[in-house]
Amino acid sequence: MKVLALESANEQCSVSIVDENQELFFQLDTRAKAQTQTILPMIEQGFLQLDIKTEDLSCIAFSRGPGSFSGVRINAAVTQALAWSNDLPVVPVSTLQALAQAAHRVHGLTTVTAVLDARMSEVYIASFQLDTDGIMQAVDEEQLLSYAAATECTPFTLVGSGATLIDPSQIQYKDLSATAQDIATIARKNAQQQHWVSAELALPVYLRDNAWKKIPEQGKA
């Protein structure tokens, strides 16, 4: 089994390839908004390094959002193109779940409330708890909330870019970001159980109906 995992739903871009036991390849580009230039070359580098082709994969996993509108769209489009052309199944992974998984990987946390800055004075938020397989599982639904409303939905340690937006004192884990390593960790278990979907269902999740708004309308610089 080989799983290609892609993460471009935040400001960074990363690619991981794993088998059922270990990570085989990982590359991260931390430059902001460079996904369109880097994601395909990074995938190709992984294939070259491992001497494999797309058809050798068992499935493709991707961060399906919520997150950066352009980043989520790029991730879904690349995944769909590769999966469709090679008749591969897809494992969509929540960006918030991946962030929670990163909190466990990096800091050993077992219960977190993952919070991402959604702009427009709102955050994406959901809470997670570690299961017996070492996977952070949701204990509530993903939501798009105002800062004030989000303060009522924070049962655990806050992690992610939105942490200080709803509680200025929560600075310890505000810079934590998920990578393709976290997507791969979550997707590996799904792949082993064949919990996946077809390429046409590799759809982005925005949680915001007006995700198409122009940048000035989203409160961005």
Side-chain angles (χ1 to χ4, degrees), residues 10-48:
N10 54 46
E11 296 296 321
Q12 304 174 348
C13 182
S14 56
V15 171
S16 176
I17 302 173
V18 301
D19 63 15
E20 58 269 28
N21 298 311
Q22 62 184 336
E23 180 179 271
L24 305 175
F25 173 84
F26 174 68
Q27 192 169 37
L28 169 68
D29 189 326
T30 60
R31 294 177 298 165
K33 301 180 181 179
Q35 299 100 322
T36 53
Q37 290 79 36
T38 60
I39 190 167
L40 290 176
M42 289 165 68
I43 294 170
E44 182 63 24
Q45 179 62 34
F47 288 172
L48 288 173

Side-chain angles (χ1 to χ4, degrees), residues 38-69:
T38 60
I39 190 167
L40 290 176
M42 289 165 68
I43 294 170
E44 182 63 24
Q45 179 62 34
F47 288 172
L48 288 173
Q49 185 170 313
L50 300 177
D51 192 24
I52 63 173
K53 299 178 181 179
T54 310
E55 52 263 36
D56 296 321
L57 299 172
S58 303
C59 66
I60 302 174
F62 77 109
S63 182
R64 50 87 166 152
S68 159
F69 175 62

Side-chain angles (χ1 to χ4, degrees), residues 64-74 76 118 124 142 144 203-212:
R64 50 87 166 152
S68 159
F69 175 62
S70 58
V72 170
R73 185 172 55 185
I74 291 166
Y124 303 118
E142 297 178 349
L144 174 66
L203 302 174
V205 172
Y206 298 119
L207 292 186
R208 174 179 281 147
D209 293 335
N210 56 355
W212 51 267

Side-chain angles (χ1 to χ4, degrees), residues 1 3 58-59 89-92 186-198:
M1 182 188 78
V3 177
S58 303
C59 66
V90 174
V91 179
I186 296 167
R188 177 192 281 125
K189 189 68 176 179
N190 289 328
Q192 289 172 333
Q193 299 174 351
Q194 296 188 8
H195 290 168
W196 47 39
V197 299
S198 55

Side-chain angles (χ1 to χ4, degrees), residues 11-207:
E11 296 296 321
Q12 304 174 348
C13 182
S14 56
V15 171
S16 176
I17 302 173
V18 301
D19 63 15
E20 58 269 28
N21 298 311
Q22 62 184 336
E23 180 179 271
L24 305 175
F25 173 84
F26 174 68
Q27 192 169 37
L28 169 68
D29 189 326
T30 60
R31 294 177 298 165
K33 301 180 181 179
Q35 299 100 322
T36 53
Q37 290 79 36
T38 60
I39 190 167
L40 290 176
M42 289 165 68
I43 294 170
E44 182 63 24
Q45 179 62 34
F47 288 172
L48 288 173
Q49 185 170 313
L50 300 177
D51 192 24
I52 63 173
K53 299 178 181 179
T54 310
E55 52 263 36
D56 296 321
L57 299 172
S58 303
C59 66
I60 302 174
F62 77 109
S63 182
R64 50 87 166 152
S68 159
F69 175 62
S70 58
V72 170
R73 185 172 55 185
I74 291 166
N75 224 19
V78 171
T79 298
Q80 277 195 333
L82 291 175
W84 184 272
S85 60
N86 293 276
D87 195 25
L88 290 171
V90 174
V91 179
V93 176
S94 162
T95 307
L96 290 169
Q97 185 184 15
L99 176 58
Q101 196 69 39
H104 176 62
R105 172 176 57 86
V106 178
H107 299 290
L109 301 178
T110 58
T111 55
V112 301
T113 297
V115 193
L116 292 172
D117 182 4
R119 311 293 184 178
M120 300 170 64
S121 299
E122 294 175 317
V123 293
Y124 303 118
I125 186 170
S127 295
F128 298 84
Q129 187 168 18
L130 195 71
D131 69 9
T132 55
D133 293 319
I135 305 298
M136 295 293 259
Q137 300 289 356
V139 299
D140 56 17
E141 294 184 358
E142 297 178 349
Q143 299 183 79
L144 174 66
L145 298 175
S146 67
Y147 298 166
T151 61
E152 305 299 322
C153 301
T154 57
F156 304 133
T157 301
L158 299 180
V159 300
S161 60
T164 55
L165 297 176
I166 59 176
D167 185 347
S169 68
Q170 298 296 311
I171 62 173
Q172 186 174 3
Y173 305 115
K174 71 179 182 65
D175 295 324
L176 181 69
S177 294
T179 72
Q181 292 173 305
D182 306 301
I183 302 296
T185 296
I186 296 167
R188 177 192 281 125
K189 189 68 176 179
N190 289 328
Q192 289 172 333
Q193 299 174 351
Q194 296 188 8
H195 290 168
W196 47 39
V197 299
S198 55
E200 63 266 25
L201 297 178
L203 302 174
V205 172
Y206 298 119
L207 292 186

